Structure formats: C-alpha cells, structure tokens
Amino acid sequence: MSVAHPPEVAARFGRIRQRPVVLEVEQLGKSFVSPGGETVRVFDGVDLSIRRREFITVVGPSGCGKSTFIRMVAGLETATSGRILLDGEAVVGPGADRGMVFQAYTLFPWLSVKRNVMFGLLQAGRSEASASSEACVWLEMVGLKGFENHHPAQLSGGMKQRVAIARALANKPRILLMDEPFGALDAQTRAEMQDYLLQIYRNVDATILFITHDLDEAVYLADRVVVMGRKPGRVIETVDVPLLRPRDPQMAFTDDFLATKRHIEHLIHPPEPAGTEKRKAPITRMTVVGDEVY
C-alpha cells in the first residue's frame, strides 16, 4: 500500500531498509500431481525479500499455500521451481539456522519443560551443564521461570507455545518461522501471547516470518504484511504497517490500523462487481416454512 507516512514512521521504514537481506525468495513455485493425474499448482512465482530483524506476517485465503510456503522456508518441503536463499545460501533442508513453531503443541510430552528446551542444544553438541544454563535463560525470557521441571501436560496452551518459542530460539536461529502458532488459543490467551512475542522480539536478534489468518494479529505484530491470493497462490501486495514500535493494544483503534486492515481485507476479498448476485451456500431447509429468523 503506497501512502505518505508521518516523518517518524517513514524514518522507521528507512532504517529497516538499510539492514541486510536475510531471506531471499526468488520465483518460488510449488505443484503436485493429484490422484487423478492432474497437476495442481499451489503457488507460483513468489518473490520476497526479508531484512534482518524484520517482523513479517503472511495472510491470505485458505488454500493459498501459506503453510506450504513456510514449510519450504523451513526445509521441510522442496520447491518445484525457484529458490530460497538464507544469508545467500540455498535452503536445501532443515537447519539450525531456522527455528520453527507450529500451531500444534509439538513438545515432547515425556520431557520436562527445561529438557524440551535443552533438546536442540544437546543435539548440537552442547554439554549438559551448558545446555541446562542456556535453557534457564530462555525460559526466563518467555516468562516461565519456576516451571522448569513441569511437564507439558501440566501447562496451559499459551505456556506450551512459550516453551516451543524458547526451544526454537535457544539455538539462536537467523529466522524464526511461526505457522499460526496462536490459532488454537482462546482470544484472551492469544492477545497475551502476541504481547509476549513482541517483548521477546524486542530482546533477541531474530527475524520473524509469521503465518496467520487473523488480520488484526497480522497488522498488530508486523512491520510488513505479505498478502497472498489463491489459485495459484501468489503475492498480491506487501503492505507496510504505519505503526511505531513498541506496539500497544490501543493501536487497534487508530485510523492507521483500521485503514491498513481494511486495505488488506479488500485485497483478499475484493468487492463483488455491481449487479453480481451474492453467492449462497447450497443449504437444505430443515425448518418449518414461514418460521423465519429476523
């Protein structure tokens, strides 16, 4: 969205654009063959550059390939065409330079909170004492000091995701990938987790790529919102968020926030042309005729 920003907002974007590019996506495409033999294009020709310590959110209609895209950046799926570069090196598989947080709670249920965070550090060759010390630092960072010896079953959903974030960040990745991490949480916990994440983001040297369906969440968290379309998925527009940091929940009621959200809504769901009949779901009537709801 090309708009004239206030001087302080324009200065913030100027500082961001002076940072080095961390992630470069070039003409990325993904397709597969359906059981019927038809080639299905998930998305095609995706280009995106993300700079150091940017917070990028990705939104779009269901089926546009958002989750597939972030899994490809994580190295969990391969591209059909194009390439992904992290610090100039091609992404060819998973690596410690990328941390991943999924929507589902992916903690090891048989391990304590601290042992979950220690897991990646131990796999990387850190000593028991070093991994233990590092895990405690990250658990304090995410507000879970005192819960080190609890197990996942003893935690709330929001606490589980904080452990997952600590585990992902413990290896000091260049980029933190988050695939709708708060989608399963209730509204109140989700809002709390958004603010926890912003506090963590201010205090760690990590770039964040965040997938969400929630436009309020996308605007509130991001420096830029990448809007994808469907059939096949593609980047429609990258929208600058004209809000200063640190963010405050009251910003959701400002004109800049609401205008940005409306613009993104129109990109994802453009208004129907005048005279177009509204599409209706094929629903069988199961009530008494004449018994209407008004």
Side-chain angles (χ1 to χ4, degrees):
M1 182 170 58
S2 179
V3 296
H5 296 309
E8 61 274 21
V9 174
R12 182 173 74 84
F13 283 118
R15 291 192 295 270
I16 289 173
R17 290 175 181 126
Q18 291 174 2
R19 299 173 189 165
V21 172
V22 172
L23 185 75
E24 187 80 26
V25 178
E26 299 176 345
Q27 287 296 296
L28 194 69
K30 178 69 174 179
S31 61
F32 64 89
V33 179
S34 70
E38 179 186 2
T39 298
V40 178
R41 288 191 298 162
V42 181
F43 52 79
D44 199 15
V46 173
D47 289 306
L48 181 64
S49 294
I50 301 177
R51 297 184 178 276
R52 176 178 169 268
R53 296 204 72 203
E54 264 197 295
F55 198 131
I56 302 294
T57 56
V58 181
V59 298
S62 295
C64 71
K66 300 186 299 295
S67 291
T68 300
F69 171 67
I70 202 168
R71 287 176 61 84
M72 292 172 71
V73 176
L76 301 175
E77 295 198 25
T78 57
T80 305
S81 59
R83 62 179 184 167
I84 301 170
L85 302 174
L86 183 61
D87 290 326
E89 298 291 329
V91 170
V92 294
D97 50 8
R98 282 147 290 148
M100 185 81 175
V101 179
F102 299 90
Q103 179 175 347
Y105 307 131
T106 55
L107 304 179
F108 300 121
W110 60 89
L111 295 180
S112 69
V113 164
K114 185 167 79 169
R115 299 297 299 190
N116 264 283
V117 179
M118 289 172 62
F119 183 83
L121 297 168
L122 293 172
Q123 292 295 307
R126 298 280 288 272
S127 69
E128 183 82 15
S130 174
S132 176
S133 176
E134 186 78 9
C136 288
V137 170
W138 285 104
L139 287 171
E140 185 170 5
M141 169 74 76
V142 299
L144 289 176
K145 183 179 181 180
F147 290 88
E148 294 88 348
N149 297 318
H150 285 60
H151 281 72
Q154 299 172 294
L155 305 179
S156 69
M159 294 169 77
K160 289 175 185 176
Q161 286 300 57
R162 279 189 268 163
V163 177
I165 292 169
R167 184 177 64 180
L169 288 171
N171 283 312
K172 297 182 174 62
R174 292 288 286 155
I175 185 166
L176 179 62
L177 307 171
M178 309 187 78
D179 188 8
E180 297 196 66
F182 309 147
L185 303 177
D186 63 85
Q188 182 177 342
T189 304
R190 185 171 190 149
E192 291 174 354
M193 286 301 301
Q194 290 166 3
D195 286 326
Y196 264 117
L197 180 59
L198 289 176
Q199 290 174 41
I200 294 165
Y201 168 64
R202 290 181 66 190
N203 290 286
V204 299
D205 184 8
T207 302
I208 299 180
L209 180 61
F210 188 107
I211 304 295
T212 181
H213 275 98
D214 189 314
L215 299 190
D216 288 282
E217 180 172 73
V219 176
Y220 181 59
L221 295 176
D223 295 309
R224 291 187 292 149
V225 180
V226 176
V227 184
M228 294 186 69
R230 61 157 64 102
K231 295 180 181 178
R234 65 201 186 283
V235 175
I236 300 174
E237 188 175 322
T238 301
V239 180
D240 291 343
V241 177
L243 303 175
L244 294 172
R245 295 194 185 276
R247 299 286 164 83
D248 182 280
Q250 294 304 311
M251 289 180 172
F253 303 101
T254 64
D255 291 342
D256 283 340
F257 186 103
L258 295 172
T260 303
K261 180 184 172 184
R262 280 196 301 270
H263 179 69
I264 295 170
E265 285 177 332
H266 288 163
L267 291 172
I268 298 173
H269 303 293
E272 296 285 351
T276 302
E277 184 177 352
K278 185 176 181 179
R279 288 173 290 183
K280 297 180 180 179
I283 297 175
T284 301
R285 187 181 181 96
M286 301 181 70
T287 63
V288 177
V289 174
D291 182 13
E292 302 296 347
V293 177
Y294 295 103

